[in-house]
């Protein structure tokens, strides 16, 4: 009887490993929002990592997180590192590409709770009297990420924070005095 139970557990474990291994090898989480502001104004909010903290939803989760800025004040090469509670973890965001009014791309190097390197894009598309701002994060989905994804909806978890951040950006940008 004991051998049958062990054999059954082994079969279940093998099936679980097969299911995990067949999940997609990459991920992409994306949220967009129309904001009544020109692309250049929104670009400036994202391209300066000090301003980014005004609407970054993770900085609201742990206001006591320690932030360190390096490199230029804005644009390619500017970076900030954070060390916070277990909900925000620890890592570094480095701007690696910018196209004024169009794109801000960053490399995200996470150290805690899990080590990972992903890419984040902010794009700005004018549509009538609004700009559609899209916040995306994408990268490789290793075995551990695939396993976690079976039990946690990572798209919803990250996407909900992206939506909160974009809503705060919208509020800031639409209430700012026009220059």
């Amino acid at each position: 009887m004991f051998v049958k139970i062990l054999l059954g557990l082994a079969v279940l474990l093998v099936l679980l490993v097969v299911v995990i291994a067949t999940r997609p090898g990459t991920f992409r989480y994306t949220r967009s929002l129309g904001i009544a502001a020109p692309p250049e104004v929104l670009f400036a909010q994202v391209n300066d990592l000090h301003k980014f903290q005004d609407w970054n939803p993770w900085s609201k989760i742990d206001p006591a997180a320690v932030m360190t800025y390096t490199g230029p004040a804005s644009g390619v090469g500017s970076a900030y590192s954070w060390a916070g509670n277990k909900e925000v973890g620890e890592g570094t965001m480095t701007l690696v590409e910018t196209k004024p009014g169009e794109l801000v791309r960053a490399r995200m190097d996470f150290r805690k709770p899990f080590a990972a390197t992903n890419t984040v894009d902010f794009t700005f598309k004018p549509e009538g009297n609004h700009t559609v701002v899209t916040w995306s994060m994408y990268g490789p989905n290793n075995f551990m990420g695939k396993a976690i994804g079976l039990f946690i909806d990572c798209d919803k978890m990250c996407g909900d924070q992206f939506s909160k951040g974009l809503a705060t950006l919208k509020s800031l940008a639409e209430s700012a005095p026009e220059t």
Side-chain angles (χ1 to χ4, degrees):
M1 179 66 157
F2 182 69
V3 173
K4 289 182 181 181
I5 292 173
L6 284 178
L7 186 58
L9 288 174
V11 168
L12 286 175
L13 183 61
V14 168
L15 285 174
L16 179 63
V17 168
V18 168
V19 168
I20 292 170
T22 60
R23 295 183 52 84
T26 60
F27 72 89
R28 181 179 201 90
Y29 312 133
T30 299
R31 297 297 184 275
S32 298
L33 184 64
I35 300 175
E40 298 76 22
V41 168
L42 298 163
F43 173 84
Q45 287 291 320
V46 179
N47 194 48
D48 181 335
L49 294 177
H50 294 85
K51 291 180 181 177
F52 174 65
Q53 295 313 315
D54 294 339
W55 56 275
N56 175 2
W58 282 277
S59 66
K60 312 302 184 261
I61 292 172
D62 183 6
V66 175
M67 306 230 184
T68 307
Y69 296 89
T70 57
S74 64
V76 173
S78 64
Y80 88 94
S81 296
W82 71 93
N85 63 23
K86 66 180 182 173
E87 291 179 72
V88 299
E90 188 177 313
T92 300
M93 178 178 182
T94 306
L95 300 189
V96 296
E97 181 180 358
T98 62
K99 295 179 184 173
E102 295 178 31
L103 169 74
V104 173
R105 178 168 289 148
R107 185 183 71 240
M108 300 291 293
D109 294 303
F110 298 99
R111 288 183 290 281
K112 290 181 183 176
F114 298 104
T117 298
N118 300 315
T119 302
V120 169
D121 285 347
F122 294 93
T123 59
F124 312 92
K125 302 276 187 211
E127 286 189 9
N129 62 348
H130 285 77
T131 300
V132 175
V133 180
T134 301
W135 186 350
S136 300
M137 183 170 69
Y138 53 94
N141 201 15
N142 63 22
F143 187 83
M144 183 61 79
K146 293 177 185 184
I148 290 169
L150 279 177
F151 305 101
I152 296 173
D153 186 347
C154 296
D155 180 68
K156 179 174 176 13
M157 185 174 65
C158 284
D160 286 353
Q161 295 304 319
F162 290 0
S163 293
K164 286 178 186 177
L166 291 171
T168 304
L169 175 61
K170 177 181 176 84
S171 177
L172 288 171
E174 291 180 355
S175 65
E178 293 197 27
T179 56

